[in-house]
Amino acid sequence: MLLSRPQEFRFIIVKNFKIIYWIDNDFNIVNIATVFDTRQNPEKISKIK
């Protein structure tokens, strides 16, 4: 899923949420790819586009 993309994705856990993001060094910005509620079934995250 994310491994096939050119960006280097990172994540941070904040309370019950996993925030998946990548840093665009050309523009010095952080792009948030998705926010996932970790109380859900973890298999659902692979269905996020």
Side-chain angles (χ1 to χ4, degrees):
M1 180 173 101
L2 296 177
L3 295 175
S4 63
R5 301 200 180 182
Q7 301 89 353
E8 180 183 336
F9 286 90
R10 303 174 183 192
F11 70 92
I12 185 171
I13 305 292
V14 179
K15 296 194 179 189
N16 291 323
F17 298 96
K18 179 185 268 189
I19 302 169
I20 301 174
Y21 66 96
W22 61 279
I23 298 172
D24 187 338
N25 291 320
D26 294 335
F27 295 102
N28 293 323
I29 59 174
V30 174
N31 292 293
I32 297 177
T34 191
V35 177
F36 183 75
D37 187 341
T38 58
R39 295 172 290 184
Q40 297 181 58
N41 181 348
E43 292 179 9
K44 289 175 83 175
I45 199 166
S46 64
K47 297 179 184 176
I48 296 174
K49 294 182 181 183

